[in-house]
Amino acid sequence: MNIAIVGTGYVGLVSGTCFAELGANVTCVDVNAQKIENLKQGKIPIYEPNLDSMVLRNIKAGRLRFTTDLSSILDSVEVVFSAVGTPPDEDGSADLRYVFEVAKTIGQHMNNYLVVVTKSTVPVGTAEKVKTVIQAELNKRSVQIGFDVASNPEFLKEGSAIDDFMKPDRVVVGVESERAKDLMTRLYKPMLLNNFRVIFMDIPSAEMTKYAANSMLATRISFMNDIANLCELVGADVNMVRKGIGTDSRIGSKFLYSGCGYGGSCFPKDVKALIKTADQNGYDMRVLNAVEAVNESQKNILFEKFKLYFNGDVKNKKVAIWGLAFKPETDDMREAPALVLIDSLLKAGCQVCAYDPVAMNECKRRIGDVISYGKNMYDTVIDANAIFHVTEWKEFRMPSWGVIRKAMKENPVLIDGRNVFSVSELEGIDYLKIG
């Protein structure tokens, strides 16, 4: 089966490569010529475990190709996925200009029946607008060519995206014709031979499903952070509370971890976009407004604990930050709690040394050399007054606390933003956690 994926960002590149791994002939399209040239050589622009080797393998097999010219391949494909960016606009709504540019190009150059599939996270009603754009271009050409639009939202987690794609909990597809349904069934059948977990539904429901899923997960995180903050006031332990409620089959244990706030490319953007969609339809998403407010507040909690510990005297304190990415197994720092923490520390006159296994180049790109960067986790703690544990990378789990204590200044403190450690394992280091 021949398909095209427009957009070689996180979603487009992972999806295109995985479809090629399953045997489809995939052409990935992007307007960035340098990125395309790099991809042709197997140089990928993102960090995702095992993706680079999979890209190279499928390039060599001839199943994965890259181009900047969408119009040149439309006659040879049956399905076009639109996986371009939908960044938040100033008012929180999704910016759909790139989605519509793809639709316009398709309408201007298509000559055969196509299924045009929106893979990007887009507000309800976007597929209908895409359909209108394509039809308008066909009308300008005075041609009658059949096509269908569909919605196929992604549910990839950064750091485990390949497994998520190859072994999905479910695949959601919104269609409005049997022909489109048959094509999408053919496309997904190879990965789901033993358990066909494709859920077909109407297009608006598919578009809403992605926002609803991410908003529910964000809600669980903010709820547990609210509970954690109350636990501190009443003397309860949020880790015990989490275990107590997580065993309830109606609740479950996933996404019940308290911490220093969620970040990344999905949760913040999607919560804002769903709130905006509701606002445009005259409805107030009261729960999600609270979810967003709790999260923004939670990103300041590490600095507040630090300031309270030192009774407000934090100027010229040297601090170590372990972890910069918004989560482990990625270099993504979009909306990362570490950025909020660094900003607060620098404004307070602190010296900051940070280490992250993969995200330091991304951090340098974003903020430059306003902080220093360690060669490893131990390098950051030399003469430090405090350690902030911000991203729960596996290599941070079993440090040599004796070595760390000797390297730090007197009366040091570890502020654990992910509740990974326990006071019993530390040696002469005070310990603060969330909740």
Side-chain angles (χ1 to χ4, degrees):
M1 193 168 183
N2 298 325
I3 67 172
I5 308 249
V6 186
T8 58
Y10 188 86
V11 172
L13 185 57
V14 171
S15 299
T17 304
C18 288
F19 275 130
E21 184 77 3
L22 291 166
N25 294 311
V26 181
T27 304
C28 290
V29 184
D30 201 290
V31 295
N32 187 326
Q34 185 59 58
K35 181 191 278 191
I36 290 298
E37 285 306 310
N38 288 341
L39 285 167
K40 287 178 179 178
Q41 300 171 40
K43 299 175 184 177
I44 67 173
I46 58 174
Y47 176 83
E48 179 64 32
N50 302 316
L51 181 60
D52 51 356
S53 58
M54 188 179 283
V55 168
L56 282 171
R57 180 165 64 250
N58 283 282
I59 289 174
K60 289 178 181 177
R63 292 188 299 267
L64 184 60
R65 303 172 185 83
F66 300 95
T67 183
T68 58
D69 188 1
L70 173 60
S71 62
S72 68
I73 62 167
L74 287 177
D75 288 350
S76 61
V77 299
E78 297 172 87
V79 180
V80 179
F81 284 89
S82 177
V84 293
T86 55
D89 220 333
E90 292 182 3
D91 62 356
S93 61
D95 184 346
L96 300 175
R97 75 182 79 172
Y98 305 117
V99 173
F100 296 145
E101 283 178 10
V102 172
K104 186 174 182 179
T105 300
I106 291 171
Q108 288 171 341
H109 298 282
M110 66 181 291
N111 294 303
N112 305 303
Y113 172 84
L114 288 173
V115 177
V116 180
V117 185
T118 303
K119 195 72 172 166
S120 309
T121 303
V122 295
V124 177
T126 300
E128 193 61 35
K129 294 177 181 177
V130 166
K131 186 176 181 179
T132 299
V133 171
I134 295 173
Q135 189 60 56
E137 294 302 322
L138 293 175
N139 292 343
K140 289 178 185 177
R141 294 166 57 195
S142 300
V143 295
Q144 292 184 354
I145 302 171
F147 70 95
D148 277 302
V149 294
S151 173
N152 178 210
E154 54 85 18
F155 298 97
L156 307 178
K157 299 186 293 293
E158 294 188 40
S160 60
I162 291 174
D163 275 350
D164 290 342
F165 192 98
M166 295 297 202
K167 305 169 189 174
D169 295 325
R170 78 293 198 199
V171 176
V172 172
V173 181
V175 293
E176 57 184 11
S177 79
E178 285 299 317
R179 188 174 183 180
K181 182 178 179 180
D182 289 345
L183 267 176
M184 297 302 288
T185 298
R186 281 173 49 204
L187 184 60
Y188 276 109
K189 194 170 184 180
M191 77 170 68
L192 302 167
L193 285 175
N194 295 325
N195 187 4
F196 192 69
R197 296 179 295 275
V198 177
I199 304 172
F200 285 103
M201 58 182 71
D202 61 274
I203 292 175
S205 296
E207 292 172 327
M208 178 60 83
T209 295
K210 174 56 187 277
Y211 281 111
N214 278 354
S215 295
M216 171 58 81
L217 296 174
T219 298
R220 287 171 71 97
I221 293 171
S222 281
F223 173 78
M224 285 308 296
N225 283 334
D226 238 4
I227 293 294
N229 295 336
L230 182 58
C231 282
E232 291 191 9
L233 296 174
V234 300
D237 185 336
V238 73
N239 287 336
M240 297 297 101
V241 174
R242 176 180 60 80
K243 290 177 182 177
I245 66 175
T247 51
D248 187 325
S249 60
R250 296 167 300 175
I251 298 173
S253 60
K254 294 183 178 180
F255 274 80
L256 287 184
Y257 291 90
S258 55
C260 50
Y262 60 75
S265 63
C266 293
F267 289 2
K269 173 175 71 71
D270 292 353
V271 169
K272 286 182 174 67
L274 192 52
I275 290 171
K276 185 63 180 179
T277 295
D279 184 56
Q280 290 169 341
N281 286 274
Y283 187 76
D284 180 15
M285 298 291 281
R286 290 165 290 176
V287 172
L288 285 189
N289 276 305
V291 166
E292 186 178 37
V294 168
N295 192 59
E296 290 306 305
S297 175
Q298 198 71 11
K299 289 183 180 181
N300 293 305
I301 197 166
L302 298 184
F303 179 73
E304 294 302 321
K305 285 179 176 290
F306 169 69
K307 194 165 64 170
L308 184 63
Y309 180 83
F310 287 104
N311 296 314
D313 183 18
V314 297
K315 189 174 182 179
N316 295 321
K317 290 285 190 289
K318 183 177 179 184
V319 302
I321 293 180
W322 290 354
L324 294 165
F326 87 94
K327 62 177 282 187
E329 302 301 332
T330 181
D331 62 351
D332 195 342
M333 288 189 65
R334 285 174 285 186
E335 303 280 348
L339 291 173
V340 177
L341 174 61
I342 288 170
D343 184 60
S344 296
L345 290 168
L346 293 177
K347 286 178 179 177
C350 298
Q351 301 173 51
V352 180
C353 184
Y355 170 74
D356 188 289
V358 302
M360 289 198 291
N361 285 337
E362 175 63 13
C363 191
K364 290 176 184 177
R365 185 186 72 81
R366 286 176 172 271
I367 66 173
D369 294 321
V370 294
I371 64 172
S372 60
Y373 299 89
K375 298 175 183 175
N376 51 52
M377 61 190 294
Y378 296 101
D379 194 29
T380 64
V381 304
I382 297 172
D383 293 328
N385 300 99
I387 302 170
F388 291 95
H389 177 231
V390 183
T391 313
E392 62 272 35
W393 286 95
K394 290 178 182 176
E395 68 179 77
F396 297 154
R397 289 184 183 177
M398 291 194 297
S400 220
W401 291 114
V403 172
I404 290 170
R405 174 63 192 91
K406 289 178 182 177
M408 297 182 75
K409 289 183 178 177
E410 290 298 313
N411 304 315
V413 62
L414 167 66
I415 305 173
D416 186 359
R418 299 299 175 185
N419 288 2
V420 168
F421 308 111
S422 63
V423 67
S424 61
E425 63 187 295
L426 305 183
E427 302 174 18
I429 302 174
D430 285 344
Y431 180 60
L432 302 177
K433 65 174 185 176
I434 308 294

